[in-house]
């Protein structure tokens, strides 16, 4: 399956993507994680991306699209993938369509995670990530680690992302509304969008997402 996950920052895309990718046996490809990995490895690409990320802006397409395509061309993505954070504007969506068409492939679904804005701000302000592995995500009140500041999974140190400050979150939300939301209409025109509520327990949202994808497949068959 080839799935795109969309939703505002703080919708829980990364958390859901990790579970969904596992359930569906496809790789989870997150452009945000790829950028953060480049930053922590000190690469040229990471150096270029960091200033945009810290400001809450999109990293320019010239950097992002090539990186995403490279990752999608890896052997583990040959039979499907779950895209998280890409595409993030209409021109990226067009670039993705072009790439898929060239390969004779198509998307199966675009899963849209809906969450009210005040909830988004609460989620992001309390979000903590593990220094060893971005996919180990906690929240100071919603899913606290057993020991404060320490990752339950691997013992790594937990930290707050540089772009999770309140000011940057507001900018990221604005960027989401103006640049990313239009891709929902773009994909609606292709009949691909499945919308679910991202409120409630993580496991409930995963179940809701799996059910929505199953009924979407059944409807298409
Ligand atoms: P979130 O979904 O919580 O905002 P991500 O980890 O997906 O966080 O992205 C963090 C930042 O990385 C974005 O604010 C943006 O600066 C950059 N980024 C990630 N994906 C893209 C993309 N497809 N195009 C441009 N910038 C991106």
């Amino acid at each position: 399956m080839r799935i795109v996950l969309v939703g505002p920052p703080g919708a829980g895309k990364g958390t859901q993507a990790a579970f969904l990718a596992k359930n569906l046996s496809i790789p989870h490809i997150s452009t945000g994680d790829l950028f953060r990995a480049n930053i922590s490895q000190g690469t040229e690409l990471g150096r270029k991306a960091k200033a945009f990320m810290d400001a809450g802006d999109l990293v320019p397409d010239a950097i992002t699209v090539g990186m995403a395509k490279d990752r999608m061309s890896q052997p583990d993505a040959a039979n499907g993938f779950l895209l998280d954070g890409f595409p993030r504007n209409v021109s990226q969506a067009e670039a993705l369509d072009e790439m898929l068409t060239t390969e004779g492939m198509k998307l199966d679904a675009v899963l849209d995670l809906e969450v009210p804005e005040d909830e988004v701000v609460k989620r992001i302000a309390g979000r903590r990530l593990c220094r060893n592995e971005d996919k180990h995500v906690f929240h100071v009140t919603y899913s606290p680690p057993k020991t404060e500041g320490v990752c339950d999974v691997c013992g790594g140190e937990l930290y707050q992302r540089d772009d999770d400050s309140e000011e940057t979150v507001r900018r990221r939300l604005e960027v989401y509304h103006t640049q990313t939301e239009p891709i929902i209409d773009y994909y609606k025109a292709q009949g691909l969008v499945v919308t679910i509520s991202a409120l409630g327990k993580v496991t409930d949202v995963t179940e809701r997402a799996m059910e929505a994808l199953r009924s979407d497949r059944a409807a298409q068959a």
Side-chain angles (χ1 to χ4, degrees), residues 7-10 13 30-33 35-36 49 52-53 56-61 64 84-88 92 124 127 161 163-164 172:
K13 291 190 300 293
S30 156
T31 41
D33 288 352
F35 283 133
R36 282 185 288 278
F52 295 99
M53 293 175 74
D57 287 321
L58 295 189
V59 178
D61 291 351
T64 307
D84 160 15
F86 182 87
R88 231 182 177 90
Q92 292 180 9
I124 295 184
R127 170 157 70 184
R161 269 168 48 175
D163 61 347
D164 277 354
R172 281 161 60 201

PDB file of all heavy atoms in Angstrom, residues 7-10 13 30-33 35-36 49 52-53 56-61 64 84-88 92 124 127 161 163-164 172, ligand 1:
ATOM      1  N   GLY A   7      -2.120  16.085   8.270  1.00  0.00           N
ATOM      2  CA  GLY A   7      -2.730  16.576   9.497  1.00  0.00           C
ATOM      3  C   GLY A   7      -1.835  17.658  10.049  1.00  0.00           C
ATOM      4  O   GLY A   7      -0.651  17.699   9.711  1.00  0.00           O
ATOM      5  N   PRO A   8      -2.383  18.525  10.900  1.00  0.00           N
ATOM      6  CA  PRO A   8      -1.580  19.622  11.430  1.00  0.00           C
ATOM      7  C   PRO A   8      -0.432  19.114  12.304  1.00  0.00           C
ATOM      8  O   PRO A   8      -0.481  17.960  12.752  1.00  0.00           O
ATOM      9  CB  PRO A   8      -2.583  20.414  12.267  1.00  0.00           C
ATOM     10  CG  PRO A   8      -3.663  19.454  12.598  1.00  0.00           C
ATOM     11  CD  PRO A   8      -3.743  18.508  11.441  1.00  0.00           C
ATOM     12  N   PRO A   9       0.558  19.958  12.554  1.00  0.00           N
ATOM     13  CA  PRO A   9       1.592  19.573  13.521  1.00  0.00           C
ATOM     14  C   PRO A   9       0.885  19.220  14.831  1.00  0.00           C
ATOM     15  O   PRO A   9      -0.086  19.883  15.204  1.00  0.00           O
ATOM     16  CB  PRO A   9       2.452  20.833  13.679  1.00  0.00           C
ATOM     17  CG  PRO A   9       1.714  21.944  13.022  1.00  0.00           C
ATOM     18  CD  PRO A   9       0.764  21.327  12.057  1.00  0.00           C
ATOM     19  N   GLY A  10       1.306  18.166  15.493  1.00  0.00           N
ATOM     20  CA  GLY A  10       0.677  17.786  16.752  1.00  0.00           C
ATOM     21  C   GLY A  10      -0.532  16.881  16.580  1.00  0.00           C
ATOM     22  O   GLY A  10      -1.139  16.465  17.561  1.00  0.00           O
ATOM     23  N   LYS A  13       0.839  12.452  13.809  1.00  0.00           N
ATOM     24  CA  LYS A  13       1.200  11.732  12.578  1.00  0.00           C
ATOM     25  C   LYS A  13       2.335  10.750  12.825  1.00  0.00           C
ATOM     26  O   LYS A  13       2.248   9.604  12.414  1.00  0.00           O
ATOM     27  CB  LYS A  13       1.625  12.714  11.465  1.00  0.00           C
ATOM     28  CG  LYS A  13       0.503  13.559  10.913  1.00  0.00           C
ATOM     29  CD  LYS A  13       0.942  14.312   9.664  1.00  0.00           C
ATOM     30  CE  LYS A  13       2.104  15.254   9.925  1.00  0.00           C
ATOM     31  NZ  LYS A  13       1.763  16.395  10.796  1.00  0.00           N
ATOM     32  N   SER A  30       9.377   9.594   7.072  1.00  0.00           N
ATOM     33  CA  SER A  30       9.053  10.916   7.604  1.00  0.00           C
ATOM     34  C   SER A  30      10.124  11.909   7.173  1.00  0.00           C
ATOM     35  O   SER A  30      11.298  11.743   7.520  1.00  0.00           O
ATOM     36  CB  SER A  30       8.998  10.845   9.136  1.00  0.00           C
ATOM     37  OG  SER A  30       9.225  12.120   9.698  1.00  0.00           O
ATOM     38  N   THR A  31       9.726  12.929   6.411  1.00  0.00           N
ATOM     39  CA  THR A  31      10.725  13.924   5.993  1.00  0.00           C
ATOM     40  C   THR A  31      11.250  14.689   7.206  1.00  0.00           C
ATOM     41  O   THR A  31      12.432  15.031   7.242  1.00  0.00           O
ATOM     42  CB  THR A  31      10.144  14.889   4.937  1.00  0.00           C
ATOM     43  OG1 THR A  31       8.805  15.227   5.291  1.00  0.00           O
ATOM     44  CG2 THR A  31      10.160  14.275   3.553  1.00  0.00           C
ATOM     45  N   GLY A  32      10.394  14.928   8.203  1.00  0.00           N
ATOM     46  CA  GLY A  32      10.870  15.598   9.426  1.00  0.00           C
ATOM     47  C   GLY A  32      11.977  14.776  10.089  1.00  0.00           C
ATOM     48  O   GLY A  32      13.028  15.297  10.468  1.00  0.00           O
ATOM     49  N   ASP A  33      11.760  13.451  10.221  1.00  0.00           N
ATOM     50  CA  ASP A  33      12.790  12.574  10.815  1.00  0.00           C
ATOM     51  C   ASP A  33      14.054  12.564   9.960  1.00  0.00           C
ATOM     52  O   ASP A  33      15.175  12.559  10.494  1.00  0.00           O
ATOM     53  CB  ASP A  33      12.283  11.124  10.932  1.00  0.00           C
ATOM     54  CG  ASP A  33      11.228  10.956  12.036  1.00  0.00           C
ATOM     55  OD1 ASP A  33      11.003  11.911  12.797  1.00  0.00           O
ATOM     56  OD2 ASP A  33      10.648   9.855  12.118  1.00  0.00           O
ATOM     57  N   PHE A  35      15.165  14.967   8.033  1.00  0.00           N
ATOM     58  CA  PHE A  35      15.866  16.237   8.270  1.00  0.00           C
ATOM     59  C   PHE A  35      16.586  16.208   9.623  1.00  0.00           C
ATOM     60  O   PHE A  35      17.744  16.597   9.726  1.00  0.00           O
ATOM     61  CB  PHE A  35      14.893  17.421   8.238  1.00  0.00           C
ATOM     62  CG  PHE A  35      14.474  17.830   6.848  1.00  0.00           C
ATOM     63  CD1 PHE A  35      13.135  18.062   6.554  1.00  0.00           C
ATOM     64  CD2 PHE A  35      15.414  18.008   5.839  1.00  0.00           C
ATOM     65  CE1 PHE A  35      12.734  18.447   5.278  1.00  0.00           C
ATOM     66  CE2 PHE A  35      15.018  18.392   4.557  1.00  0.00           C
ATOM     67  CZ  PHE A  35      13.682  18.612   4.280  1.00  0.00           C
ATOM     68  N   ARG A  36      15.870  15.734  10.664  1.00  0.00           N
ATOM     69  CA  ARG A  36      16.506  15.721  11.991  1.00  0.00           C
ATOM     70  C   ARG A  36      17.713  14.786  12.024  1.00  0.00           C
ATOM     71  O   ARG A  36      18.728  15.099  12.657  1.00  0.00           O
ATOM     72  CB  ARG A  36      15.482  15.356  13.081  1.00  0.00           C
ATOM     73  CG  ARG A  36      14.572  16.537  13.444  1.00  0.00           C
ATOM     74  CD  ARG A  36      13.632  16.210  14.606  1.00  0.00           C
ATOM     75  NE  ARG A  36      12.581  15.290  14.220  1.00  0.00           N
ATOM     76  CZ  ARG A  36      11.453  15.650  13.591  1.00  0.00           C
ATOM     77  NH1 ARG A  36      11.228  16.915  13.326  1.00  0.00           N
ATOM     78  NH2 ARG A  36      10.556  14.759  13.256  1.00  0.00           N
ATOM     79  N   ALA A  49      18.703  22.828   6.084  1.00  0.00           N
ATOM     80  CA  ALA A  49      17.305  22.688   6.504  1.00  0.00           C
ATOM     81  C   ALA A  49      17.031  23.324   7.867  1.00  0.00           C
ATOM     82  O   ALA A  49      15.937  23.824   8.116  1.00  0.00           O
ATOM     83  CB  ALA A  49      16.929  21.199   6.549  1.00  0.00           C
ATOM     84  N   PHE A  52      15.301  26.851   8.405  1.00  0.00           N
ATOM     85  CA  PHE A  52      13.884  26.875   8.008  1.00  0.00           C
ATOM     86  C   PHE A  52      13.035  26.170   9.070  1.00  0.00           C
ATOM     87  O   PHE A  52      11.965  26.653   9.451  1.00  0.00           O
ATOM     88  CB  PHE A  52      13.691  26.183   6.652  1.00  0.00           C
ATOM     89  CG  PHE A  52      14.378  26.897   5.520  1.00  0.00           C
ATOM     90  CD1 PHE A  52      15.617  26.471   5.050  1.00  0.00           C
ATOM     91  CD2 PHE A  52      13.793  28.013   4.941  1.00  0.00           C
ATOM     92  CE1 PHE A  52      16.248  27.136   4.005  1.00  0.00           C
ATOM     93  CE2 PHE A  52      14.417  28.691   3.898  1.00  0.00           C
ATOM     94  CZ  PHE A  52      15.655  28.244   3.432  1.00  0.00           C
ATOM     95  N   MET A  53      13.515  25.022   9.521  1.00  0.00           N
ATOM     96  CA  MET A  53      12.753  24.253  10.514  1.00  0.00           C
ATOM     97  C   MET A  53      12.596  25.042  11.805  1.00  0.00           C
ATOM     98  O   MET A  53      11.504  25.113  12.368  1.00  0.00           O
ATOM     99  CB  MET A  53      13.446  22.922  10.789  1.00  0.00           C
ATOM    100  CG  MET A  53      13.410  22.003   9.594  1.00  0.00           C
ATOM    101  SD  MET A  53      14.352  20.508   9.853  1.00  0.00           S
ATOM    102  CE  MET A  53      13.287  19.598  10.974  1.00  0.00           C
ATOM    103  N   GLY A  56       9.958  27.445  11.747  1.00  0.00           N
ATOM    104  CA  GLY A  56       8.609  26.903  11.531  1.00  0.00           C
ATOM    105  C   GLY A  56       8.198  26.960  10.072  1.00  0.00           C
ATOM    106  O   GLY A  56       7.036  26.723   9.736  1.00  0.00           O
ATOM    107  N   ASP A  57       9.132  27.303   9.199  1.00  0.00           N
ATOM    108  CA  ASP A  57       8.827  27.381   7.766  1.00  0.00           C
ATOM    109  C   ASP A  57       9.107  26.050   7.084  1.00  0.00           C
ATOM    110  O   ASP A  57       9.818  25.203   7.625  1.00  0.00           O
ATOM    111  CB  ASP A  57       9.703  28.461   7.109  1.00  0.00           C
ATOM    112  CG  ASP A  57       9.240  29.855   7.499  1.00  0.00           C
ATOM    113  OD1 ASP A  57       8.012  30.060   7.586  1.00  0.00           O
ATOM    114  OD2 ASP A  57      10.104  30.721   7.733  1.00  0.00           O
ATOM    115  N   LEU A  58       8.600  25.916   5.854  1.00  0.00           N
ATOM    116  CA  LEU A  58       8.927  24.717   5.086  1.00  0.00           C
ATOM    117  C   LEU A  58      10.353  24.825   4.559  1.00  0.00           C
ATOM    118  O   LEU A  58      10.812  25.909   4.190  1.00  0.00           O
ATOM    119  CB  LEU A  58       7.975  24.557   3.899  1.00  0.00           C
ATOM    120  CG  LEU A  58       6.513  24.299   4.197  1.00  0.00           C
ATOM    121  CD1 LEU A  58       5.763  23.948   2.909  1.00  0.00           C
ATOM    122  CD2 LEU A  58       6.337  23.186   5.224  1.00  0.00           C
ATOM    123  N   VAL A  59      11.034  23.707   4.525  1.00  0.00           N
ATOM    124  CA  VAL A  59      12.336  23.632   3.875  1.00  0.00           C
ATOM    125  C   VAL A  59      12.048  23.714   2.367  1.00  0.00           C
ATOM    126  O   VAL A  59      11.081  23.113   1.891  1.00  0.00           O
ATOM    127  CB  VAL A  59      13.033  22.306   4.244  1.00  0.00           C
ATOM    128  CG1 VAL A  59      14.375  22.181   3.546  1.00  0.00           C
ATOM    129  CG2 VAL A  59      13.187  22.186   5.762  1.00  0.00           C
ATOM    130  N   PRO A  60      12.851  24.471   1.600  1.00  0.00           N
ATOM    131  CA  PRO A  60      12.528  24.625   0.175  1.00  0.00           C
ATOM    132  C   PRO A  60      12.400  23.280  -0.562  1.00  0.00           C
ATOM    133  O   PRO A  60      13.106  22.321  -0.258  1.00  0.00           O
ATOM    134  CB  PRO A  60      13.719  25.425  -0.359  1.00  0.00           C
ATOM    135  CG  PRO A  60      14.235  26.171   0.820  1.00  0.00           C
ATOM    136  CD  PRO A  60      14.015  25.281   2.007  1.00  0.00           C
ATOM    137  N   ASP A  61      11.489  23.273  -1.541  1.00  0.00           N
ATOM    138  CA  ASP A  61      11.236  22.049  -2.319  1.00  0.00           C
ATOM    139  C   ASP A  61      12.510  21.502  -2.962  1.00  0.00           C
ATOM    140  O   ASP A  61      12.668  20.294  -3.107  1.00  0.00           O
ATOM    141  CB  ASP A  61      10.216  22.323  -3.444  1.00  0.00           C
ATOM    142  CG  ASP A  61       8.826  22.602  -2.887  1.00  0.00           C
ATOM    143  OD1 ASP A  61       8.620  22.407  -1.662  1.00  0.00           O
ATOM    144  OD2 ASP A  61       7.953  23.022  -3.665  1.00  0.00           O
ATOM    145  N   THR A  64      13.914  19.367  -0.333  1.00  0.00           N
ATOM    146  CA  THR A  64      13.011  18.349   0.212  1.00  0.00           C
ATOM    147  C   THR A  64      12.660  17.247  -0.793  1.00  0.00           C
ATOM    148  O   THR A  64      12.697  16.055  -0.454  1.00  0.00           O
ATOM    149  CB  THR A  64      11.701  19.024   0.677  1.00  0.00           C
ATOM    150  OG1 THR A  64      12.033  20.094   1.551  1.00  0.00           O
ATOM    151  CG2 THR A  64      10.808  18.039   1.379  1.00  0.00           C
ATOM    152  N   ASP A  84       4.912  10.450   5.836  1.00  0.00           N
ATOM    153  CA  ASP A  84       4.521  11.283   6.979  1.00  0.00           C
ATOM    154  C   ASP A  84       5.254  12.622   6.846  1.00  0.00           C
ATOM    155  O   ASP A  84       6.467  12.661   6.957  1.00  0.00           O
ATOM    156  CB  ASP A  84       4.910  10.512   8.252  1.00  0.00           C
ATOM    157  CG  ASP A  84       5.035  11.382   9.493  1.00  0.00           C
ATOM    158  OD1 ASP A  84       4.569  12.533   9.485  1.00  0.00           O
ATOM    159  OD2 ASP A  84       5.609  10.879  10.491  1.00  0.00           O
ATOM    160  N   GLY A  85       4.518  13.680   6.531  1.00  0.00           N
ATOM    161  CA  GLY A  85       5.151  15.003   6.400  1.00  0.00           C
ATOM    162  C   GLY A  85       5.548  15.330   4.974  1.00  0.00           C
ATOM    163  O   GLY A  85       6.174  16.365   4.732  1.00  0.00           O
ATOM    164  N   PHE A  86       5.240  14.470   4.053  1.00  0.00           N
ATOM    165  CA  PHE A  86       5.501  14.701   2.641  1.00  0.00           C
ATOM    166  C   PHE A  86       4.372  14.068   1.847  1.00  0.00           C
ATOM    167  O   PHE A  86       4.026  12.920   2.127  1.00  0.00           O
ATOM    168  CB  PHE A  86       6.845  14.096   2.218  1.00  0.00           C
ATOM    169  CG  PHE A  86       7.176  14.354   0.775  1.00  0.00           C
ATOM    170  CD1 PHE A  86       7.840  15.520   0.411  1.00  0.00           C
ATOM    171  CD2 PHE A  86       6.800  13.458  -0.225  1.00  0.00           C
ATOM    172  CE1 PHE A  86       8.135  15.783  -0.929  1.00  0.00           C
ATOM    173  CE2 PHE A  86       7.083  13.724  -1.559  1.00  0.00           C
ATOM    174  CZ  PHE A  86       7.763  14.887  -1.909  1.00  0.00           C
ATOM    175  N   PRO A  87       3.774  14.741   0.865  1.00  0.00           N
ATOM    176  CA  PRO A  87       4.012  16.132   0.486  1.00  0.00           C
ATOM    177  C   PRO A  87       3.402  17.121   1.480  1.00  0.00           C
ATOM    178  O   PRO A  87       2.484  16.785   2.210  1.00  0.00           O
ATOM    179  CB  PRO A  87       3.300  16.236  -0.866  1.00  0.00           C
ATOM    180  CG  PRO A  87       2.257  15.172  -0.852  1.00  0.00           C
ATOM    181  CD  PRO A  87       2.791  14.074  -0.002  1.00  0.00           C
ATOM    182  N   ARG A  88       3.952  18.329   1.481  1.00  0.00           N
ATOM    183  CA  ARG A  88       3.505  19.347   2.422  1.00  0.00           C
ATOM    184  C   ARG A  88       3.043  20.611   1.708  1.00  0.00           C
ATOM    185  O   ARG A  88       2.726  21.591   2.357  1.00  0.00           O
ATOM    186  CB  ARG A  88       4.679  19.689   3.343  1.00  0.00           C
ATOM    187  CG  ARG A  88       4.354  19.639   4.820  1.00  0.00           C
ATOM    188  CD  ARG A  88       5.600  20.041   5.560  1.00  0.00           C
ATOM    189  NE  ARG A  88       5.412  20.110   6.976  1.00  0.00           N
ATOM    190  CZ  ARG A  88       5.602  19.110   7.825  1.00  0.00           C
ATOM    191  NH1 ARG A  88       5.961  17.927   7.387  1.00  0.00           N
ATOM    192  NH2 ARG A  88       5.429  19.297   9.112  1.00  0.00           N
ATOM    193  N   GLN A  92       4.853  19.865  -4.093  1.00  0.00           N
ATOM    194  CA  GLN A  92       5.420  18.562  -3.692  1.00  0.00           C
ATOM    195  C   GLN A  92       4.469  17.420  -4.074  1.00  0.00           C
ATOM    196  O   GLN A  92       4.911  16.337  -4.473  1.00  0.00           O
ATOM    197  CB  GLN A  92       5.694  18.523  -2.192  1.00  0.00           C
ATOM    198  CG  GLN A  92       6.821  19.459  -1.750  1.00  0.00           C
ATOM    199  CD  GLN A  92       7.093  19.403  -0.254  1.00  0.00           C
ATOM    200  OE1 GLN A  92       6.564  18.562   0.465  1.00  0.00           O
ATOM    201  NE2 GLN A  92       7.934  20.315   0.224  1.00  0.00           N
ATOM    202  N   ILE A 124       1.739  19.675  21.445  1.00  0.00           N
ATOM    203  CA  ILE A 124       3.110  20.009  21.059  1.00  0.00           C
ATOM    204  C   ILE A 124       3.919  20.547  22.232  1.00  0.00           C
ATOM    205  O   ILE A 124       5.081  20.198  22.399  1.00  0.00           O
ATOM    206  CB  ILE A 124       3.119  21.014  19.891  1.00  0.00           C
ATOM    207  CG1 ILE A 124       2.515  20.332  18.665  1.00  0.00           C
ATOM    208  CG2 ILE A 124       4.532  21.479  19.590  1.00  0.00           C
ATOM    209  CD1 ILE A 124       2.554  21.170  17.425  1.00  0.00           C
ATOM    210  N   ARG A 127       5.284  17.698  24.207  1.00  0.00           N
ATOM    211  CA  ARG A 127       5.934  16.602  23.478  1.00  0.00           C
ATOM    212  C   ARG A 127       7.424  16.495  23.819  1.00  0.00           C
ATOM    213  O   ARG A 127       8.131  17.493  23.891  1.00  0.00           O
ATOM    214  CB  ARG A 127       5.774  16.848  21.969  1.00  0.00           C
ATOM    215  CG  ARG A 127       6.608  15.905  21.112  1.00  0.00           C
ATOM    216  CD  ARG A 127       6.072  15.767  19.739  1.00  0.00           C
ATOM    217  NE  ARG A 127       6.238  16.968  18.927  1.00  0.00           N
ATOM    218  CZ  ARG A 127       5.755  17.058  17.693  1.00  0.00           C
ATOM    219  NH1 ARG A 127       5.105  16.048  17.158  1.00  0.00           N
ATOM    220  NH2 ARG A 127       5.947  18.153  16.999  1.00  0.00           N
ATOM    221  N   ARG A 161      11.898  19.386  21.013  1.00  0.00           N
ATOM    222  CA  ARG A 161      12.370  19.860  19.709  1.00  0.00           C
ATOM    223  C   ARG A 161      12.500  21.374  19.685  1.00  0.00           C
ATOM    224  O   ARG A 161      11.676  22.075  20.247  1.00  0.00           O
ATOM    225  CB  ARG A 161      11.365  19.439  18.621  1.00  0.00           C
ATOM    226  CG  ARG A 161      11.681  18.107  18.008  1.00  0.00           C
ATOM    227  CD  ARG A 161      10.568  17.575  17.182  1.00  0.00           C
ATOM    228  NE  ARG A 161       9.997  18.519  16.227  1.00  0.00           N
ATOM    229  CZ  ARG A 161       9.058  18.179  15.341  1.00  0.00           C
ATOM    230  NH1 ARG A 161       8.611  16.943  15.291  1.00  0.00           N
ATOM    231  NH2 ARG A 161       8.571  19.066  14.512  1.00  0.00           N
ATOM    232  N   ASP A 163      11.804  23.329  17.386  1.00  0.00           N
ATOM    233  CA  ASP A 163      10.672  23.998  16.739  1.00  0.00           C
ATOM    234  C   ASP A 163       9.356  23.743  17.467  1.00  0.00           C
ATOM    235  O   ASP A 163       8.293  24.022  16.951  1.00  0.00           O
ATOM    236  CB  ASP A 163      10.567  23.600  15.260  1.00  0.00           C
ATOM    237  CG  ASP A 163      10.348  22.105  15.048  1.00  0.00           C
ATOM    238  OD1 ASP A 163      10.516  21.326  16.011  1.00  0.00           O
ATOM    239  OD2 ASP A 163       9.991  21.717  13.928  1.00  0.00           O
ATOM    240  N   ASP A 164       9.415  23.237  18.705  1.00  0.00           N
ATOM    241  CA  ASP A 164       8.196  23.029  19.484  1.00  0.00           C
ATOM    242  C   ASP A 164       7.913  24.181  20.458  1.00  0.00           C
ATOM    243  O   ASP A 164       7.040  24.066  21.308  1.00  0.00           O
ATOM    244  CB  ASP A 164       8.249  21.688  20.245  1.00  0.00           C
ATOM    245  CG  ASP A 164       7.826  20.513  19.357  1.00  0.00           C
ATOM    246  OD1 ASP A 164       7.392  20.750  18.208  1.00  0.00           O
ATOM    247  OD2 ASP A 164       7.934  19.356  19.815  1.00  0.00           O
ATOM    248  N   ARG A 172       4.084  27.286  12.497  1.00  0.00           N
ATOM    249  CA  ARG A 172       3.894  26.001  11.806  1.00  0.00           C
ATOM    250  C   ARG A 172       2.422  25.770  11.477  1.00  0.00           C
ATOM    251  O   ARG A 172       2.095  25.227  10.425  1.00  0.00           O
ATOM    252  CB  ARG A 172       4.452  24.850  12.660  1.00  0.00           C
ATOM    253  CG  ARG A 172       5.973  24.760  12.557  1.00  0.00           C
ATOM    254  CD  ARG A 172       6.589  23.993  13.692  1.00  0.00           C
ATOM    255  NE  ARG A 172       6.121  22.625  13.782  1.00  0.00           N
ATOM    256  CZ  ARG A 172       6.188  21.888  14.891  1.00  0.00           C
ATOM    257  NH1 ARG A 172       6.693  22.396  16.000  1.00  0.00           N
ATOM    258  NH2 ARG A 172       5.762  20.650  14.875  1.00  0.00           N
TER     259      ARG A 172
HETATM  260  P1  LIG B   1       5.295  18.282  12.456  1.00  0.00           P
HETATM  261  O1  LIG B   1       4.440  17.464  11.559  1.00  0.00           O
HETATM  262  O2  LIG B   1       5.074  18.005  13.906  1.00  0.00           O
HETATM  263  O3  LIG B   1       5.239  19.750  12.146  1.00  0.00           O
HETATM  264  P2  LIG B   1       7.744  17.244  11.186  1.00  0.00           P
HETATM  265  O4  LIG B   1       8.751  16.506  11.957  1.00  0.00           O
HETATM  266  O5  LIG B   1       6.959  16.513  10.171  1.00  0.00           O
HETATM  267  O6  LIG B   1       6.803  17.926  12.269  1.00  0.00           O
HETATM  268  O7  LIG B   1       8.432  18.494  10.440  1.00  0.00           O
HETATM  269  C1  LIG B   1       9.230  19.420  11.131  1.00  0.00           C
HETATM  270  C2  LIG B   1       9.746  20.491  10.177  1.00  0.00           C
HETATM  271  O8  LIG B   1      10.530  19.884   9.118  1.00  0.00           O
HETATM  272  C3  LIG B   1       8.677  21.287   9.420  1.00  0.00           C
HETATM  273  O9  LIG B   1       8.160  22.356  10.190  1.00  0.00           O
HETATM  274  C4  LIG B   1       9.476  21.760   8.194  1.00  0.00           C
HETATM  275  O10 LIG B   1      10.323  22.846   8.511  1.00  0.00           O
HETATM  276  C5  LIG B   1      10.364  20.569   7.887  1.00  0.00           C
HETATM  277  N1  LIG B   1       9.722  19.666   6.897  1.00  0.00           N
HETATM  278  C6  LIG B   1       9.317  18.390   7.111  1.00  0.00           C
HETATM  279  N2  LIG B   1       8.774  17.865   5.993  1.00  0.00           N
HETATM  280  C7  LIG B   1       8.824  18.826   5.049  1.00  0.00           C
HETATM  281  C8  LIG B   1       8.402  18.935   3.687  1.00  0.00           C
HETATM  282  N3  LIG B   1       7.795  17.918   3.069  1.00  0.00           N
HETATM  283  N4  LIG B   1       8.630  20.096   3.021  1.00  0.00           N
HETATM  284  C9  LIG B   1       9.219  21.119   3.622  1.00  0.00           C
HETATM  285  N5  LIG B   1       9.630  21.120   4.913  1.00  0.00           N
HETATM  286  C10 LIG B   1       9.436  19.991   5.614  1.00  0.00           C
END
